[in-house]
Amino acid sequence: MKIDHSLPLEYSTDENRLKILGFWIFLGAEVMLFATLFASYFILSGGTGDGPSGAEIFEITPVLIETLVLLTSSFTIGLMVHAMRLGRQKAMMGFFIATIVLGAIFLGVEIYEFVHYVHVGAGLQTSAFSAILLTTLGTHGAHVTFGLFWGTCILIQVKKYGLTPRTTNKSFIFSLYWHFLDVVWIFIFSFVYLKGMM
Amino acid sequence: MEFFERFAIPHPSPAIYASMVAIAIVSIAIVVGITYFKKWGYLWREWLTTVDHKRLGIMYIIAAILMLFRGGADAIMMRAQLSAPENKLLDAQHYNEIFTTHGVVMILFMAMPFIIGFMNFVVPLQIGARDVAFPRLNALSFWLFFAGAMLFNISFVIGGSPDAGWTSYFPLADNEFSTSVGTNYYMIAIQIAGLGTLATGINFMTTILKMRAPGMTLMKMPMFTWSALITNVIIVFAFPVLTVALAMGTLDRLFGTHFFASTNGGMDMLWANLFWVWGHPEVYILILPAFGIYSEVISTFARRNLYGYKSMVASMVIISLLSFVVWVHHFFTMGQGAFVNSIFSITTMAIAVPTGVKIFNWLLTLYKGKITMTTPMLYSMLFIPLFTLGGVTGVMLGMSAADYQYHNTMFLVAHFHMVIIPGVVFAMLAALYYYWPKMFGFMLNDRLGKIGAWIIAIGTLVAFMPMFISGLDGQARRMYTYSEASGFGIWNMISMVGALMLAAGFALIVYNIYYSFRYAPRDIGSDPWDARTLEWATHTPVPEYNFATMPKIDSYETFWDSKKKGTPLFPDKIEKIHMPNNSGIPFIMGIIFFMWGFSFVFAMWIPLIICTLGIFACMAYQSFENDHGRYISIEEIEETEKELGGKR
Amino acid sequence: MKLKRALLLAIVAIAAVLAGCEPLTVLNPKGPQAEVQANDIMMSIWLMSGIVIVVFAMLAYMLIKFRSSKQGKDYEPPHIEGNKWVEAVCVGIPVLIVAYLSFVSVQSNYKVEATPPGYEDKEPLVVYASSSNWKWHFSYPEEDIETVNYLYIPTDRALEFKLYSFGPITSFWIPQLGGQKYAMADMVTTLHLAADHPGEFMGRNANFSGKGFAENTFDVTAMSPVEFEEWVDEVHQTADPITEDKFEELLEPGHLGKMTFTGTHLDFSPAPEGHEHHQSNDEDSEENHENHDEHEGHSDHSSH
Amino acid sequence: MMKELFPMKQVMGFIFSLVLTAVALMVYFFDMSFAVGMTILLVTAFIQAGLQLVLFMHAGESEDKNAIYITIYYGVLIAIFTILGSLLTMVWTYQIQ
């Protein structure tokens, strides 16, 4: 395997560069996935049937906590990449762990939020609105959940093998994924919650 | 016992029981045969675990041909039922299931793998790459497609086939009106295959963008590769929509949500909307690679460079964008009003412009050429007039006011068959004849091939031209019967004759494969067509590393130039080559996905959870596996090259 | 050359049929909307035939002129990149054709979505056409009549069909009077038609709706206004009133013959009208709520 | 060392994203028309997304930046077409009529 030392480790081999571009293309597909969910959400958001509307069930506090936690985790994963490029494995792992912990907190609050919705009578089967709300949030939440497992796997590999072209590549790609989830959340925050409570 | 009742077929007929027996016998025969000839090891090492794009391509094509016959059998049954008024061959339910599976199988499990198969085989060779960007993902794509296809195909013997049409409009497809598990099969089998296709899209986009031979800039890529690039862009952005739509459909059917129900705020129109947001780009996913094939074939056998290369590329880019803004023309009659219909009517007809440019470019490629009429060329020359007929009727359908009369009639059915068969199927058959020598080292018989091409072309005309007429006479599509008084009888009888001709044509192709396998000469060299692009520059059979050394590209047709001018294409110095290792993971994941899908269809939650965990376990294993691939040594390469007749 | 002859024959045959010894249903319009559509269809057929002939002629010329058997052995085809002017023509002419078709298409769109010209002076006859598996129910609120699987219409008034469904999406289509439109369960769509002359026409559901789809047809009879009035009177004298129970029975999946009632089912099972349930604005959710309740009421009937 | 680990780029990005979130929150705390609110949300959301893309995701740093930008722009363009087109055909057209 040819290693190009003029580039950061995560870009240093052909295979790594392929993987990074491939992941960007995957993110392009994810844009469409969430766009479809948003389109469906906007169309169905009036379809509340007998159930409550968004304005009736949204609460600002958990949403704000989720937003701040996720924004911070996006910051820490950015620092993770920065530390990785400086070759500081300890700091890198620290930021990585911080990100995963923040992700877990986010997920915890989201689960609380879901329980709350079901509690106030907006379950999956209540109305088209509640279903698309939970599906949109749930798809993002499932991505976060998957990210937690995936990130943990990578973290173990970083611990085991150190900062190699392979592990740095995986960590970098994970950071792309995590930032992307943050972007999606910003759109959910703006166009599901804030618009709903406006 | 309620649990087991779901597995029974709701509307059994002797034909289905016979199929069950046939499936069982064939499966047992395959297992016994492989065991008897001791081929399990070979099969596992060389095919099931392979990550080689050429072998995956061949497997895609084999699967596509199998599915062509499955979908074709459906078609023959449909045409037979309709060949006379008040016919009693099939009942309504059976007919509904058959036209549903015909549509799904032909679009998603025949045309798609055919195209992706040729993309797999040809694209890396055409750009001078060793393999695709992510060989294992490529294998996974194939096995996901295959798992989806098999899951869909067992529906008619276990639990019943979907019966709500290939568009599966809600609320018809909801539990209330489609009570069997058929539509679950539809939702989940297509979902699994769709994930594989999405992965293919990402894989090939990366491959084409990053792995071209040195010197091959984007504007020096062969036209098929260009079409593959554009197609994969469309796949990447269209398939996620299908993923979401199918997921919502699955939730509606299995988890009691109300996305597309007419109660509790649901909206049946949304399914149609999402389905066609994917569905229309899908049409271009099918047709663009076909255009790519025609470009290669026509330029090869006209012995001329492709006319208007730049406008060909530009027209494909424009088509890819337009393909995303026309979907509403599939439901002009849903009551959106004149304004919305006008917008989408204009965008729809606008697509005719870039498509027309391509037709004229092909015609002008023939100009001052030296045309040799081989079988692939014959298909291409038959494609132009037939596709033009299909294409202009598409423009007619694009006029939304008139579409109120065409919609849901045989006119529409005639239109899309007249584009898809001459457009896609002819292209795939042309590609089959064209690339067969590169794949298998011998040529298919040209004479038989040409007879087959004529039978298929005339069969297409005879089968589908009458539908234009019966459509304008008021015959709706998807009717399992009609009255004597309607006067549709004669047109459907003619269609039946055409369908039989098509069947005969395809049978002749199979015979041709058998005949040529037995009798065709094997000493055909590596460039039997005197072709122009890079895939013909390597040996036949293609060594696993494709090219011993990376070719240097300086024009759109470097291989042709090097043949004409004698300039060297390949540098001398051989270096060791890095290749990926085979892996059983994609195949195993395919099997688990099949079981996952089956559990999901029948709402068996515990096996479903186990399978889900199995899938994640495979992914984790893959993540932790330390597989750096292997190197092929210089000596090994030199030996292979010598064996194949000298270094290229 | 066999192909070209066959193709030519086919085209001539089609043209002959289309030109009309025995006119096809869609091309034999009996109302102003169908006439607009038939004219568009014939115009586009002629225009498209022109394109087809140009392509066929070019192909034939190329294939005859440039086959290898007609070229010298040493003939080397030239390298031609492309020509600005040729390509401009290849783009320009299709653009002009598409522009013209778009112009016609947009005009026709507004025509078929409005009361047909010449009928504006009289109030249109409103008929609620609702489908259930696999029947059509026609309610005449003004005349206070309901029929099943057949439709009587006067020739002097425009017709405004209010379409909806008690089940899967269906499509209401009377080819000789005009094109089709969907009938759906959660909203009402409007189709504007009119009949110029008395006569009997075929009507059907054109959108696949399950097992009984093929037989989901109805008969349409257009008659003079006087005859229509007579029919209305006759129905009021002879037919039974429709009741909620009776209507429930009619909605059961299956096929029925023609039936006639006085009164309409709209009284106890109103159409999902004014049902703007698809707003994205949450402010309107209150209103939504009510509509949904109302809607619930009748959709319950459809769930068997 | 601390300076190394806390680079200005990331910190500024983080602060900026917090500010944008606060701006977006105005639509919750203040009374405003639908149009003004939507404008604020659209502007802040898209700036945030761009911020993540360029500052945190390093979209422009590699040799493939053109491919990356084209992919993302293309995706966003198609996404907007899909969302607006769907709303137009499924929602707005019925409100106008």
Side-chain angles (χ1 to χ4, degrees):
Chain A
M1 207 171 299
K2 262 184 248 152
I3 297 183
D4 184 341
H5 291 287
S6 65
L7 292 168
L9 272 179
E10 66 266 23
Y11 283 105
S12 60
T13 67
D14 278 341
E15 203 186 329
N16 280 1
R17 289 192 287 269
L18 284 177
K19 282 184 176 160
I20 290 170
L21 178 63
F23 199 80
W24 273 103
I25 295 169
F26 169 73
L27 291 183
E30 289 272 73
V31 168
M32 256 330 256
L33 183 100
F34 282 102
T36 311
L37 285 168
F38 276 116
S40 308
Y41 177 81
F42 294 145
I43 289 169
L44 293 176
S45 62
T48 45
D50 297 329
S53 72
E56 288 163 33
I57 56 171
F58 291 154
E59 284 181 335
I60 192 78
T61 321
V63 173
L64 260 184
I65 294 171
E66 285 166 312
T67 307
L68 291 177
V69 165
L70 212 58
L71 278 179
T72 314
S73 78
S74 186
F75 176 53
T76 54
I77 199 82
L79 295 177
M80 181 280 277
V81 171
H82 187 75
M84 186 172 83
R85 288 192 175 168
L86 296 172
R88 297 183 174 277
Q89 192 185 337
K90 277 243 171 65
M92 179 262 190
M93 288 178 69
F95 287 126
F96 209 142
I97 291 168
T99 307
I100 289 176
V101 169
L102 287 167
I105 295 172
F106 170 87
L107 206 62
V109 181
E110 189 159 55
I111 290 168
Y112 158 79
E113 203 193 325
F114 273 36
V115 172
H116 166 75
Y117 291 152
V118 174
H119 201 70
V120 297
L124 200 58
Q125 302 175 348
T126 310
S127 67
F129 159 72
S130 63
I132 191 68
L133 173 73
L134 295 180
T135 307
T136 309
L137 298 178
T139 307
H140 179 264
H143 274 76
V144 173
T145 316
F146 179 78
L148 295 183
F149 286 111
W150 184 25
T152 312
C153 285
I154 296 172
L155 201 55
I156 294 169
Q157 289 173 37
V158 173
K159 174 97 185 120
K160 211 161 140 189
Y161 304 114
L163 296 178
T164 66
R166 253 171 93 86
T167 55
T168 51
N169 183 246
K170 287 181 180 188
S171 309
F172 182 74
I173 288 174
F174 178 79
S175 84
L176 294 182
Y177 180 77
W178 201 259
H179 288 306
F180 177 77
L181 291 185
D182 195 41
V183 173
V184 173
W185 181 258
I186 287 163
F187 280 84
I188 291 179
F189 173 66
S190 302
F191 299 110
V192 173
Y193 293 113
L194 290 184
K195 180 171 164 290
M197 291 186 282
M198 195 156 68
Chain B
M1 280 286 97
E2 212 181 308
F3 177 76
F4 292 103
E5 273 168 24
R6 288 181 299 171
F7 294 93
I9 312 151
H11 306 276
S13 76
I16 291 178
Y17 288 124
S19 317
M20 279 184 188
V21 175
I23 290 172
I25 291 173
V26 171
S27 314
I28 293 168
I30 291 173
V31 173
V32 169
I34 295 171
T35 315
Y36 181 79
F37 291 108
K38 299 203 175 69
K39 290 287 186 194
W40 282 112
Y42 166 78
L43 198 63
W44 176 259
R45 277 191 312 276
E46 302 290 322
W47 294 94
L48 301 183
T49 61
T50 188
V51 294
D52 183 341
H53 70 97
K54 300 179 283 293
R55 298 212 163 160
L56 288 167
I58 289 168
M59 288 198 285
Y60 267 117
I61 292 165
I62 292 170
I65 293 173
L66 284 178
M67 289 294 114
L68 176 71
F69 283 93
R70 151 88 220 246
D74 286 346
I76 295 287
M77 282 195 274
M78 266 193 300
R79 290 325 312 169
Q81 161 63 19
L82 285 187
S83 61
E86 319 272 0
N87 203 351
K88 294 278 184 297
L89 188 68
L90 302 173
D91 61 16
Q93 177 64 28
H94 203 172
Y95 185 83
N96 296 347
E97 291 179 10
I98 284 174
F99 76 67
T100 303
T101 52
H102 170 75
V104 175
V105 166
M106 284 301 202
I107 300 269
L108 286 153
F109 301 128
M110 186 282 282
M112 289 294 284
F114 231 139
I115 284 160
I116 293 174
F118 281 113
M119 274 193 311
N120 261 287
F121 189 86
V122 177
V123 166
L125 290 174
Q126 236 178 18
I127 61 174
R130 303 251 185 257
D131 205 321
V132 294
F134 313 113
R136 272 197 196 176
L137 187 66
N138 200 23
L140 180 64
S141 287
F142 172 76
W143 290 112
L144 285 184
F145 147 73
F146 197 71
M150 289 301 111
L151 186 63
F152 191 82
N153 271 282
I154 60 160
S155 66
F156 82 110
V157 287
I158 307 175
S161 283
D163 58 356
W166 89 278
T167 49
S168 211
Y169 273 15
F170 280 76
L172 180 62
D174 216 337
N175 290 326
E176 189 183 343
F177 301 107
S178 294
T179 43
S180 81
V181 293
T183 307
N184 296 355
Y185 272 114
Y186 173 97
M187 296 288 162
I188 289 154
I190 298 179
Q191 185 74 284
I192 294 172
L195 290 176
T197 309
L198 184 59
T200 299
I202 294 167
N203 210 339
F204 275 84
M205 259 182 89
T206 317
T207 308
I208 298 173
L209 287 174
K210 290 282 288 176
M211 295 177 74
R212 300 186 305 273
M216 187 186 276
T217 58
L218 281 177
M219 290 312 272
K220 285 182 185 134
M221 286 197 313
M223 198 44 66
F224 180 68
T225 302
W226 253 116
S227 73
L229 175 63
I230 302 288
T231 303
N232 285 297
V233 170
I234 304 179
I235 288 178
V236 164
F237 295 109
F239 267 77
V241 182
L242 180 69
T243 306
V244 172
L246 291 172
M248 287 164 78
T250 311
L251 284 169
D252 261 14
R253 284 189 60 86
L254 288 164
F255 298 93
T257 57
H258 302 281
F259 291 117
F260 310 125
S262 43
T263 51
N264 290 52
M267 188 181 193
D268 45 10
M269 291 190 291
L270 183 60
W271 166 268
N273 186 66
L274 294 181
F275 183 85
W276 289 115
V277 170
W278 161 78
H280 198 84
E282 165 70 14
V283 174
Y284 291 92
I285 293 169
L286 298 180
I287 202 74
L288 287 180
F291 286 172
I293 295 280
Y294 289 129
S295 299
E296 301 294 345
V297 169
I298 290 174
S299 131
T300 301
F301 295 108
R303 308 259 163 253
R304 254 209 56 197
N305 66 316
L306 190 65
Y307 184 88
Y309 179 90
K310 281 180 196 156
S311 61
M312 282 296 212
V313 172
S315 63
M316 281 197 294
V317 173
I318 293 168
I319 288 176
S320 87
L321 271 169
L322 281 177
S323 73
F324 282 97
V325 293
V326 299
W327 77 92
V328 174
H329 71 217
H330 292 272
F331 44 89
F332 275 148
T333 57
M334 212 180 244
Q336 313 80 326
F339 176 67
V340 174
N341 281 358
S342 296
I343 294 174
F344 285 94
S345 173
I346 293 169
T347 53
T348 301
M349 287 191 283
I351 289 193
V353 176
T355 316
V357 168
K358 299 186 85 74
I359 298 269
F360 287 119
N361 280 346
W362 289 315
L363 287 170
L364 290 167
T365 304
L366 301 173
Y367 180 68
K368 287 193 176 171
K370 194 177 181 184
I371 301 166
T372 36
M373 200 54 86
T374 57
T375 307
M377 186 63 166
L378 181 58
Y379 274 113
S380 311
M381 293 302 104
L382 291 167
F383 147 79
I384 291 179
L386 265 58
F387 183 81
T388 306
L389 284 175
V392 293
T393 51
V395 177
M396 291 167 64
L397 280 157
M399 297 182 69
S400 43
D403 181 73
Y404 285 21
Q405 292 281 27
Y406 303 131
H407 188 62
N408 271 327
T409 68
M410 294 311 273
F411 190 95
L412 170 77
V413 176
H415 156 68
F416 69 70
H417 282 91
M418 282 299 289
V419 260
I420 290 186
I421 294 182
V424 183
V425 178
F426 283 19
M428 292 305 114
L429 296 177
L432 195 69
Y433 280 95
Y434 186 59
Y435 286 114
W436 191 272
K438 194 92 256 167
M439 289 178 183
F440 301 108
F442 63 93
M443 292 173 91
L444 292 175
N445 187 288
D446 201 48
R447 214 181 122 72
L448 284 174
K450 278 185 192 161
I451 297 171
W454 279 109
I455 295 176
I456 288 176
I458 295 170
T460 308
L461 276 174
V462 176
F464 299 107
M465 292 312 272
M467 292 185 189
F468 284 120
I469 299 166
S470 66
L472 287 178
D473 205 17
Q475 187 184 359
R477 69 194 290 209
R478 295 172 171 177
M479 280 164 39
Y480 86 102
T481 189
Y482 52 87
S483 68
E484 180 103 48
S486 63
F488 304 147
I490 176 71
W491 306 119
N492 287 286
M493 190 38 126
I494 299 174
S495 280
M496 175 68 191
V497 173
L500 290 176
M501 287 175 74
L502 281 167
F506 287 115
L508 192 62
I509 292 173
V510 175
Y511 174 71
N512 193 357
I513 291 174
Y514 164 78
Y515 176 87
S516 307
F517 177 72
R518 293 271 317 250
Y519 303 112
R522 299 305 201 257
D523 54 341
I524 52 162
S526 60
D527 181 22
W529 304 112
D530 193 16
R532 313 172 81 86
T533 37
L534 212 50
E535 69 269 32
W536 303 99
T538 181
H539 302 285
T540 301
V542 186
E544 62 167 331
Y545 47 77
N546 293 353
F547 299 94
T549 53
M550 281 291 103
K552 282 249 180 300
I553 307 297
D554 53 14
S555 83
Y556 161 53
E557 292 175 319
T558 305
F559 177 53
W560 182 255
D561 295 346
S562 82
K563 279 199 290 188
K564 290 294 131 185
K565 297 176 200 145
T567 47
L569 183 56
F570 297 100
D572 278 332
K573 194 164 160 282
I574 292 182
E575 287 173 24
K576 60 179 182 169
I577 295 172
H578 180 240
M579 294 299 288
N581 284 327
N582 282 3
S583 168
I585 293 278
F587 177 67
I588 293 167
M589 277 180 86
I591 290 178
I592 301 177
F593 258 103
F594 178 85
M595 296 191 294
W596 180 87
F598 190 80
S599 318
F600 213 156
V601 167
F602 289 96
M604 299 184 288
W605 305 120
I606 292 167
L608 183 80
I609 291 166
I610 294 170
C611 290
T612 310
L613 292 176
I615 292 164
F616 281 112
C618 286
M619 286 161 79
Y621 178 83
Q622 176 72 37
S623 173
F624 280 97
E625 193 187 14
N626 242 333
D627 181 359
H628 294 288
R630 71 204 146 86
Y631 281 95
I632 304 178
S633 68
I634 297 173
E635 298 76 50
E636 225 177 310
I637 298 166
E638 275 170 346
E639 199 172 309
T640 316
E641 292 290 305
K642 208 189 290 165
E643 216 172 273
L644 292 171
K647 191 187 93 66
R648 293 264 170 184
Chain C
M1 292 309 96
K2 264 177 285 177
L3 169 78
K4 253 147 278 145
R5 218 168 297 148
L7 281 181
L8 241 109
L9 262 175
I11 288 177
V12 170
I14 293 158
V17 172
L18 294 183
C21 10
E22 192 190 322
L24 298 169
T25 313
V26 166
L27 301 176
N28 184 17
K30 298 292 181 205
Q33 308 294 41
E35 208 172 317
V36 169
Q37 285 154 337
N39 289 342
D40 280 6
I41 291 171
M42 281 320 293
M43 182 275 290
S44 59
I45 286 179
W46 292 121
L47 196 58
M48 292 300 131
S49 307
I51 295 172
V52 168
I53 287 166
V54 169
V55 170
F56 281 31
M58 279 177 79
L59 180 65
Y61 171 76
M62 302 291 179
L63 285 180
I64 293 166
K65 187 88 194 288
F66 301 111
R67 26 183 354 142
S68 62
S69 54
K70 295 214 169 171
Q71 316 281 21
K73 237 192 150 68
D74 309 323
Y75 174 67
E76 268 297 317
H79 183 93
I80 309 172
E81 277 290 333
N83 180 305
K84 243 194 301 188
W85 295 108
V86 174
E87 281 174 44
V89 170
C90 291
V91 177
I93 292 177
V95 165
L96 288 179
I97 294 173
V98 165
Y100 173 67
L101 286 177
S102 303
F103 177 71
V104 176
S105 175
V106 171
Q107 272 188 328
S108 303
N109 281 338
Y110 283 92
K111 277 187 211 155
V112 299
E113 288 289 343
T115 307
Y119 288 84
E120 293 98 340
D121 51 335
K122 262 191 179 174
E123 274 289 293
L125 174 70
V126 176
V127 180
Y128 282 78
S130 51
S131 65
S132 67
N133 277 350
W134 292 276
K135 300 147 297 244
W136 283 97
H137 310 268
F138 299 105
S139 317
Y140 300 72
E142 192 187 304
E143 282 74 18
D144 207 28
I145 286 178
E146 176 147 329
T147 64
V148 177
N149 287 341
Y150 79 98
L151 186 60
Y152 275 19
I153 48 173
T155 50
D156 66 329
R157 291 171 75 180
L159 307 164
E160 210 174 296
F161 288 98
K162 300 282 185 191
L163 311 170
Y164 65 101
S165 162
F166 290 94
I169 299 176
T170 52
S171 194
F172 176 87
W173 189 34
I174 309 171
Q176 287 190 288
L177 297 187
Q180 62 196 282
K181 197 167 267 185
Y182 284 178
M184 293 171 291
D186 49 0
M187 66 180 281
V188 171
T189 47
T190 307
L191 182 63
H192 298 274
L193 295 179
D196 281 337
H197 309 288
E200 299 204 354
F201 315 118
M202 180 269 285
R204 66 165 300 121
N205 161 25
N207 195 56
F208 177 62
S209 62
K211 230 192 219 164
F213 163 68
E215 295 96 348
N216 197 359
T217 56
F218 56 93
D219 292 328
V220 185
T221 312
M223 57 190 69
S224 68
V226 181
E227 281 173 280
F228 184 72
E229 288 307 319
E230 281 170 16
W231 172 71
V232 171
D233 289 342
E234 193 194 315
V235 170
H236 278 289
Q237 281 158 25
T238 54
D240 297 327
I242 191 157
T243 61
E244 205 163 347
D245 292 342
K246 181 69 193 169
F247 187 63
E248 287 276 298
E249 213 176 284
L250 297 183
L251 288 179
E252 293 287 334
H255 295 288
L256 293 171
K258 296 176 184 178
M259 295 174 138
T260 317
F261 301 97
T262 57
T264 68
H265 73 260
L266 300 170
D267 297 335
F268 46 82
S269 171
E273 245 170 332
H275 177 214
E276 296 182 24
H277 95 302
H278 309 306
Q279 280 115 352
S280 52
N281 283 355
D282 293 355
E283 297 111 287
D284 302 341
S285 54
E286 277 307 311
E287 187 191 321
N288 264 324
H289 233 93
E290 286 162 25
N291 284 329
H292 273 280
D293 291 343
E294 184 186 302
H295 174 51
E296 277 294 284
H298 79 75
S299 51
D300 278 345
H301 300 299
S302 64
S303 41
H304 298 287
Chain D
M1 181 187 147
M2 285 311 277
K3 207 177 163 197
E4 257 183 352
L5 280 178
F6 285 96
M8 282 313 279
K9 201 171 85 170
Q10 263 83 353
V11 176
M12 287 307 290
F14 182 51
I15 292 170
F16 202 35
S17 71
L18 290 179
V19 171
L20 283 168
T21 310
V23 173
L25 269 175
M26 283 178 12
V27 304
Y28 175 72
F29 289 110
F30 300 102
D31 230 6
M32 58 182 77
S33 73
F34 183 74
V36 176
M38 271 313 273
T39 313
I40 292 176
L41 290 179
L42 280 169
V43 170
T44 51
F46 276 95
I47 295 179
Q48 281 258 36
L51 206 71
Q52 295 273 342
L53 204 68
V54 178
L55 279 187
F56 288 159
M57 292 168 90
H58 315 280
E61 72 182 3
S62 74
E63 60 191 18
D64 302 316
K65 69 173 180 207
N66 287 336
I68 289 170
Y69 277 128
I70 290 172
T71 307
I72 297 299
Y73 289 149
Y74 194 96
V76 170
L77 185 72
I78 304 282
I80 290 172
F81 279 160
T82 306
I83 291 174
L84 293 184
S86 299
L87 281 170
L88 178 67
T89 41
M90 302 277 109
V91 181
W92 296 335
T93 180
Y94 298 108
Q95 287 172 339
I96 296 161
Q97 273 169 12

